Amino acid sequence: MQEIELKFQIPPASRASLSESLRDAASATTRLRARYFDTGDRLLARSAFALRLRQEGEGWVQTLKGRGDGLMTRLEHNAPLGTDSGDAAPALSLERHAGTPAGAALLALLDSTGRTPADLVLQFSTDIIRTHAEVEADGAVVELALDVGQIAGGGQTLPVWEIEFELVRGAPTGLLSMAYLWTEAFGLWLDARSKAERGDRLARGVTQGDVPAVRPVDAAQPWSRQVAVALSPVLALVGDVADDLASPAQRVALAQALGVLAQTLRAEAQAAGAADTVAALAGMVFDAAIWCRVETQALWLSLLEWSLPADAR
């Protein structure tokens, strides 16, 4: 299946009020302890896969996530394992994902590089308290999940304070509407970096992500697809920039990606104003505060809506 979700970082000043608001939405709380696996040379991480065993309450679930569109959608398959193991983590088995698109993609990756499931070893872990609730928005049902805890790897720990919006059913526009309301209320900022990506960096002792390729967009594609392709490297970079962690190469790449995105937007009359805003942002890649502003998040959410196929709006 494919999951459709967005994740946001929560400013320290808003954490208490956001937590209280989520508790008021008939929420539940679950402790999530996860173990993430990869090859020694990070084949899965480099190929945008994440493989984990996670204890959810009293049971364990093995989850495989694969490459998506870089925006809201990723391949995902969950295999519930029951409660027989207790607190001890069960053994990893890729057979649990057999016959699924994500499982087939991972096996193809391993086979193409001469690897086997035996090459997958523990890299890092997470310990998260998740407070979650389902909320209706514009005819859609969206799960809000507040994650508070830490990632541990390479002898280091990293705190986690983030909220995810995942589409349960209905149109993705409902998710975007809900995300905008919470962003405006609590000053959230969009972050495409997954826990798996952040944990992989921690295990390797690095703070910055890779520099994504920035390429011209194929003008023969539908405009929504052009926006999706141009927006993907932008969102891949803004998390490190907003955290003031980005390298000079990442900032240069962000400026280039914003230029491509602005050019793409200018091809559509309704996006002329957004194109000017995006072009202006290209000159501000050294100002971390710009990327945390509510106005910037509203821009991303508008662009994400334009990136949706017409039948999904």
Side-chain angles (χ1 to χ4, degrees), residues 178-190:
M178 177 61 65
Y180 176 75
L181 291 175
W182 283 69
T183 296
E184 188 177 41
F186 300 108
L188 312 177
W189 54 270
L190 185 63

Side-chain angles (χ1 to χ4, degrees), residues 62-278:
Q62 182 173 304
T63 296
L64 173 62
K65 296 188 178 186
R67 187 184 300 277
D69 62 3
L71 302 176
M72 294 191 290
T73 303
R74 290 189 72 180
L75 288 175
E76 179 177 348
H77 180 251
N78 296 295
L81 308 181
T83 59
D84 293 343
S85 299
D87 286 340
L92 187 74
S93 173
L94 296 191
E95 292 182 2
R96 296 175 181 130
H97 306 297
T100 69
L106 177 56
L107 288 176
L109 175 66
L110 293 175
D111 184 65
S112 69
T113 56
R115 314 301 175 83
T116 72
D119 293 312
L120 298 169
V121 294
L122 178 65
Q123 299 293 334
F124 58 92
S125 62
T126 62
D127 192 349
I128 301 293
I129 300 298
R130 170 167 289 181
T131 304
H132 47 106
E134 291 190 357
V135 179
E136 292 188 9
D138 290 352
V141 176
V142 178
E143 182 185 52
L144 279 61
L146 169 64
D147 287 349
V148 180
Q150 68 176 16
I151 303 170
Q156 304 288 325
T157 60
L158 184 69
V160 173
W161 258 99
E162 59 192 32
I163 186 168
E164 297 180 359
F165 298 76
E166 181 171 357
L167 185 65
V168 177
R169 59 181 177 272
T173 50
L175 183 153
L176 294 171
S177 296
M178 177 61 65
Y180 176 75
L181 291 175
W182 283 69
T183 296
E184 188 177 41
F186 300 108
L188 312 177
W189 54 270
L190 185 63
D191 189 0
R193 299 170 300 176
S194 66
K195 293 183 185 67
E197 179 182 351
R198 297 171 75 197
D200 173 68
R201 295 188 199 180
L202 194 65
R204 292 186 291 126
V206 301
T207 58
Q208 298 154 348
D210 298 330
V211 179
V214 179
R215 301 185 178 92
V217 174
D218 183 359
Q221 294 181 321
W223 186 70
S224 61
R225 180 60 186 161
Q226 293 181 49
V227 174
V229 170
L231 183 58
S232 181
V234 172
L235 296 186
L237 288 161
V238 292
D240 279 353
V241 176
D243 262 343
D244 208 14
L245 298 174
S247 66
Q250 285 178 302
R251 296 182 191 276
V252 169
L254 178 56
Q256 293 172 339
L258 288 165
V260 172
L261 178 58
Q263 182 178 3
T264 301
L265 295 174
R266 289 195 177 99
E268 190 76 11
Q270 67 171 317
D276 292 341
T277 300
V278 168

